[in-house]
């Protein structure tokens, strides 16, 4: 039965999310959720531009990404400062035309700050139809000086993909009722499927949601959490995991 389920989901992806007929390769565009272990790296490939929504994880498919993006303009949108969302910048090819379109809020460790200083800002304003930069810069419980970077995650939607970073449930309650959030069709699970994100309240505000994707590694991190899986299952929302499927492509 496992292969039947995989075939059905693959057919659903190809039919539902195809931007152009599969036989027409004259114009190629796609969105890829990369299998990078625990972390997030989502790339929207367009005619002349690759937009990267976070660039972190445990391992990176550089050869595949290079084939798609090394000859294009690379614009990078960073939700927050965590290494599993920015780590690939440390090995970013200097020959690629690259700029930062959205920097994380607040400040971070000196090493992370220096890393981002190597990249210039993209010209012009943030060129996304909808985005939300939350101003929830809270102190961590563990230190009086540390910022709660998860709560400071910037949330955006692009091509009906909702990318909430590691936004926790309390932060979700701030932005979940915004009109543009309700347009979501594909949800990249907040905090990689941790039970501290993807609340019932958020799901209530996603009437058009057709699929959720977890970019995580169960063996080590136990994400996506059973509570999140249950919330999706009872609403009959299919869940794809990069650890099961590899790189997940939407055309």
């Amino acid at each position: 039965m496992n292969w039947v389920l995989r075939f059905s989901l693959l057919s659903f992806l190809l039919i539902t999310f195809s931007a152009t007929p599969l036989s027409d390769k004259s114009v190629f565009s796609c969105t890829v959720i990369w299998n990078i272990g625990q972390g997030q790296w989502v790339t929207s490939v367009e005619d002349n531009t690759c937009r990267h929504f976070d660039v972190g994880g445990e391992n990176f498919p550089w050869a595949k990404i290079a084939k798609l993006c090394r000859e294009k303009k690379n614009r990078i949108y960073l939700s927050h400062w965590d290494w599993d969302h920015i780590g690939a910048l440390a090995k970013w090819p200097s020959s690629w035309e690259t700029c930062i379109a959205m920097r994380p809020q607040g400040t971070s460790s000196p090493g992370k700050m220096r890393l981002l200083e190597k990249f210039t800002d993209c010209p012009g304003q943030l060129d996304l139809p909808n985005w939300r930069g939350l101003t929830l810069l809270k102190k961590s419980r563990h230190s009086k000086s540390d910022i709660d970077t998860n709560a400071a995650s910037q949330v955006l939607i692009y091509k009906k993909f909702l990318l909430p970073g590691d936004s926790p449930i309390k932060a979700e309650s701030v932005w979940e009722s915004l009109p543009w959030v309700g347009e979501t069709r594909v949800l990249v699970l907040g905090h990689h499927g941790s039970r501290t994100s993807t609340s019932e309240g958020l799901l209530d505000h996603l009437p058009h949601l057709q699929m959720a994707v977890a970019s995580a590694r169960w063996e080590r991190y136990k994400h996506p959490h059973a509570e999140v899986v249950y919330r999706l299952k009872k609403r009959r929302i299919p869940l794809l995991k990069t650890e099961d499927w590899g790189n997940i492509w939407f055309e």
Side-chain angles (χ1 to χ4, degrees):
M1 293 298 293
N2 188 45
W3 72 268
V4 174
L5 176 60
R6 287 178 174 242
F7 178 79
S8 299
L9 284 171
L10 179 60
S11 299
F12 176 82
L13 284 172
L14 293 176
I15 294 172
T16 305
F17 295 99
S18 290
T20 58
L22 293 180
S23 59
D24 180 9
K25 296 300 182 181
S26 58
V27 177
F28 177 75
S29 64
C30 65
T31 298
V32 188
I33 301 175
W34 299 105
N35 177 30
I36 38 70
Q38 181 89 352
Q40 181 176 302
W41 189 339
V42 179
T43 300
S44 176
V45 182
E46 300 161 15
D47 288 349
N48 302 308
T49 305
C50 280
R51 302 179 191 275
H52 307 278
F53 301 100
D54 286 337
V55 289
E58 297 173 291
N59 49 79
F60 308 118
W62 285 112
K64 291 183 174 63
I65 295 170
K67 187 175 182 179
L68 293 171
C69 299
R70 64 187 169 195
E71 303 298 332
K72 298 179 184 290
K73 297 178 181 179
N74 289 269
R75 303 177 72 89
I76 299 175
Y77 305 78
L78 300 173
S79 63
H80 63 299
W81 286 101
D82 286 357
W83 273 115
D84 60 346
H85 291 254
I86 72 169
L89 293 179
K91 297 183 178 180
W92 197 269
S94 59
S95 60
W96 297 8
E97 183 179 348
T98 305
C99 61
I100 303 292
M102 185 173 79
R103 291 182 181 268
Q105 294 190 105
T107 60
S108 187
S109 66
K112 292 179 181 178
M113 297 290 288
R114 285 194 297 270
L115 177 61
L116 262 70
E117 287 174 359
K118 297 179 181 179
F119 297 86
T120 61
D121 290 325
C122 298
Q125 297 181 344
L126 189 69
D127 59 341
L128 289 174
N130 296 303
W131 75 288
R132 175 69 173 175
L134 297 180
T135 56
L136 301 178
L137 294 173
K138 297 184 177 181
K139 301 294 183 182
S140 168
R141 293 180 180 178
H142 306 293
S143 170
K144 293 182 179 180
S145 60
D146 290 342
I147 292 297
D148 182 349
T149 59
N150 289 342
S153 292
Q154 299 180 103
V155 180
L156 54 84
I157 186 171
Y158 191 66
K159 294 185 176 180
K160 310 300 183 182
F161 287 76
L162 180 60
L163 303 147
D166 285 350
S167 223
I169 289 175
K170 190 172 182 179
E172 289 177 353
S173 67
V174 175
W175 51 261
E176 64 190 15
S177 61
L178 294 170
W180 54 265
V181 173
E183 300 173 4
T184 302
R185 294 176 66 190
V186 179
L187 169 64
V188 179
L189 292 181
H191 205 179
H192 322 293
S194 166
R195 64 179 175 179
T196 62
S197 299
T198 316
S199 66
E200 295 282 5
L202 173 60
L203 295 174
D204 285 341
H205 286 89
L206 304 179
H208 307 297
L209 184 62
Q210 297 179 342
M211 182 176 300
V213 178
S215 181
R217 190 153 63 93
W218 168 260
E219 181 180 356
R220 180 173 181 181
Y221 300 97
K222 300 300 183 283
H223 292 163
H225 194 277
E227 289 184 21
V228 175
V229 174
Y230 175 72
R231 291 172 200 161
L232 296 169
K233 184 175 181 181
K234 72 179 182 179
R235 295 169 184 264
R236 298 182 179 180
I237 299 170
L239 170 62
L240 294 182
K241 306 174 187 178
T242 55
E243 63 180 338
D244 293 337
W245 289 80
N247 304 320
I248 299 176
W249 298 68
F250 297 82
E251 289 191 7

